Amino acid sequence: MNNYRMTPQRRLILEELRKTKKHPTASEVYQLVRKNIPDISMGTVYRNLAILIKQGKIQRINNGSKKERYDGNPYEHFHIKCTECGRIDDLPEDLVENIKRNININFDYKITGYDLFFYGLCPDCKRRQEDKMEEKIPEKSKNYGSLKLQKLGKGED
Amino acid sequence: MNNYRMTPQRRLILEELRKTKKHPTASEVYQLVRKNIPDISMGTVYRNLAILIKQGKIQRINNGSKKERYDGNPYEHFHIKCTECGRIDDLPEDLVENIKRNININFDYKITGYDLFFYGLCPDCKRRQEDKMEEKIPEKSKNYGSLKLQKLGKGED
DNA sequence: TTAATAATAGTAACTATTATTAATAGTAAA
DNA sequence: TTTACTATTAATAATAGTTACTATTATTAA
Ligand SMILES: [Mn+2]
Ligand SMILES: [Mn+2]
Ligand SMILES: [Zn+2]
Ligand SMILES: [Zn+2]
């Protein structure tokens, strides 16, 4: 159980994950690969996703939902999810650099890794909200760093 | 559906969550409250956890597992999970302060919140690993900031 | 005191994921 | 090339965590 073969199914799953920037769920991957291999099964998708992760070719991302999401980029990088529509993008590198400098402090735990996940409004939803705002009273405060209350909005799961 | 009552079940669930530092799962909460209300049902636990979250009295934390975990502290703070035994602790405030200073940069998204989750070895598992190390060859590199490969070790889920 | 609404225990249903199975196909000797 | 060995597959069953439903009880409001 350690000599993996590169089957057409596995290759296609990997290709689709590398092509997209959307961080799809398992069933979204299934929909994508079904276009070329119509009789592939969900079991095969799940099994191959797990193997590709074990091989370090893809990663699973921690998006605060019960549907796992997969990423064709296996290297360390961080994500932001729109609380309005659910869209997930990579976070630009430079936004993270100074953060990384500051977490290597020693305390009781030995830190070996971390997940950083941002929430917010994607460009589209931001614009849509700004448009609505013009018809109303302008607000001042930003809800940043406050109670975690409704952190996740109606953004799909 | 907006006039909540403070029932004994709801009060006990909240009390138990406030007492513990363990960030328990739903079924761990169930085990705790069953000591005082033996015939409480899982449905009641789940329903009340959801209501308490909606009221902003507790929060659900994003721990990269399919079992949700609940926290009696509803205010923004961050967590670290031991990859060896699964234990989850709060992160000390000062470790996070300078990180917070550096994420308010403007880019396409409007950032409204974030999750920060660290992984590592808890004091116990760190000591246990250090003990084992003494009998072997000393290692030099740290696996920090590398491929996300086996980020989660055998730590329970 | 009656009516409306919340909450409960118990149970059924749902959903994402994992495990099982019987069949197929690639690989490695012999 | 035959042979055995093992990885992989599609289909399907099973599992686990969570949510929805139901009939009943308790609390509040008119
Ligand atoms: Mn990504
Ligand atoms: Mn906490
Ligand atoms: Zn959006
Ligand atoms: Zn530990």
Side-chain angles (χ1 to χ4, degrees):
Chain A
M1 243 272 197
N2 225 351
N3 198 8
Y4 297 110
R5 296 172 190 168
M6 183 50 82
T7 63
Q9 291 89 341
R10 186 166 302 161
R11 169 171 294 112
L12 185 57
I13 288 170
L14 182 55
E15 275 172 7
E16 290 295 342
L17 276 177
R18 284 178 174 165
K19 260 195 284 185
T20 185
K21 289 177 175 300
K22 284 181 129 71
H23 307 90
T25 62
S27 68
E28 286 165 348
V29 171
Y30 174 66
Q31 296 303 332
L32 289 170
V33 298
R34 238 152 65 95
K35 292 174 188 166
N36 290 287
I37 304 178
D39 64 341
I40 196 173
S41 73
M42 274 300 270
T44 298
V45 171
Y46 274 111
R47 185 168 14 81
N48 279 296
L49 289 170
I51 289 169
L52 290 168
I53 289 170
K54 215 180 290 179
Q55 293 181 305
K57 292 180 176 169
I58 66 171
Q59 66 175 302
R60 195 193 307 249
I61 68 177
N62 204 353
N63 69 116
S65 138
K66 71 183 55 170
K67 285 185 202 157
E68 312 265 19
R69 288 183 172 271
Y70 299 87
D71 193 332
N73 174 2
Y75 296 99
E76 187 186 69
H77 64 287
F78 303 99
H79 296 97
I80 179 160
K81 176 182 201 167
C82 180
T83 53
E84 199 67 15
C85 70
R87 168 177 155 190
I88 296 177
D89 282 312
D90 288 350
L91 212 66
E93 260 304 312
D94 61 299
L95 214 162
V96 181
E97 269 174 23
N98 14 24
I99 295 176
K100 293 180 66 174
R101 266 194 284 276
N102 291 308
I103 66 169
N104 214 353
I105 310 174
N106 67 324
F107 74 121
D108 288 351
Y109 268 79
K110 175 185 176 190
I111 296 177
T112 59
Y114 55 95
D115 277 337
L116 200 44
F117 211 102
F118 290 81
Y119 296 93
L121 296 174
C122 73
D124 294 348
C125 293
K126 188 174 65 171
R127 189 159 356 94
R128 205 172 300 123
Q129 192 176 280
E130 284 166 354
D131 292 352
K132 246 190 282 179
M133 224 47 93
E134 287 180 5
E135 305 152 18
K136 297 195 172 183
I137 323 108
E139 60 165 30
K140 47 166 190 283
S141 73
K142 50 182 183 178
N143 58 341
Y144 181 70
S146 58
L147 267 185
K148 294 202 100 178
L149 265 167
Q150 67 295 62
K151 183 184 62 187
L152 270 62
K154 52 187 172 220
E156 27 133 273
D157 203 286
Chain B
M1 242 268 198
N2 224 352
N3 198 7
Y4 298 110
R5 295 170 190 168
M6 184 50 84
T7 63
Q9 291 87 342
R10 187 166 303 160
R11 169 171 295 110
L12 185 56
I13 288 170
L14 182 55
E15 275 172 7
E16 291 294 345
L17 275 176
R18 284 179 174 164
K19 259 195 284 185
T20 185
K21 290 177 175 301
K22 283 181 129 70
H23 308 89
T25 63
S27 67
E28 286 166 348
V29 172
Y30 174 67
Q31 296 304 332
L32 289 171
V33 298
R34 238 152 66 94
K35 291 174 187 164
N36 290 289
I37 304 179
D39 64 341
I40 196 173
S41 73
M42 274 299 271
T44 298
V45 171
Y46 274 111
R47 184 169 13 82
N48 279 297
L49 288 170
I51 289 169
L52 290 167
I53 289 170
K54 214 181 291 179
Q55 294 180 304
K57 293 180 175 167
I58 66 171
Q59 66 175 301
R60 195 194 307 248
I61 67 178
N62 206 352
N63 69 117
S65 138
K66 71 183 56 173
K67 284 186 205 158
E68 312 266 19
R69 289 183 172 270
Y70 298 87
D71 193 331
N73 174 3
Y75 297 99
E76 187 185 67
H77 64 287
F78 303 99
H79 297 97
I80 180 160
K81 175 182 199 166
C82 180
T83 53
E84 199 68 14
C85 69
R87 168 177 156 189
I88 296 177
D89 282 313
D90 288 349
L91 212 66
E93 260 305 312
D94 61 299
L95 214 161
V96 181
E97 269 172 23
N98 15 22
I99 294 176
K100 293 179 67 173
R101 267 194 283 276
N102 290 309
I103 66 167
N104 214 353
I105 310 175
N106 67 325
F107 75 120
D108 288 351
Y109 269 79
K110 175 186 176 188
I111 296 177
T112 59
Y114 55 95
D115 277 336
L116 200 44
F117 212 102
F118 290 81
Y119 296 93
L121 296 175
C122 74
D124 294 347
C125 293
K126 188 174 66 173
R127 189 161 355 96
R128 205 172 300 122
Q129 192 176 280
E130 284 166 353
D131 292 351
K132 245 189 283 177
M133 222 51 89
E134 286 180 6
E135 306 152 18
K136 298 195 170 183
I137 323 109
E139 59 164 31
K140 47 165 191 281
S141 73
K142 50 182 185 179
N143 58 342
Y144 181 70
S146 58
L147 268 184
K148 294 202 98 178
L149 265 168
Q150 67 295 61
K151 183 182 61 187
L152 270 62
K154 52 188 171 220
E156 29 135 271
D157 201 291

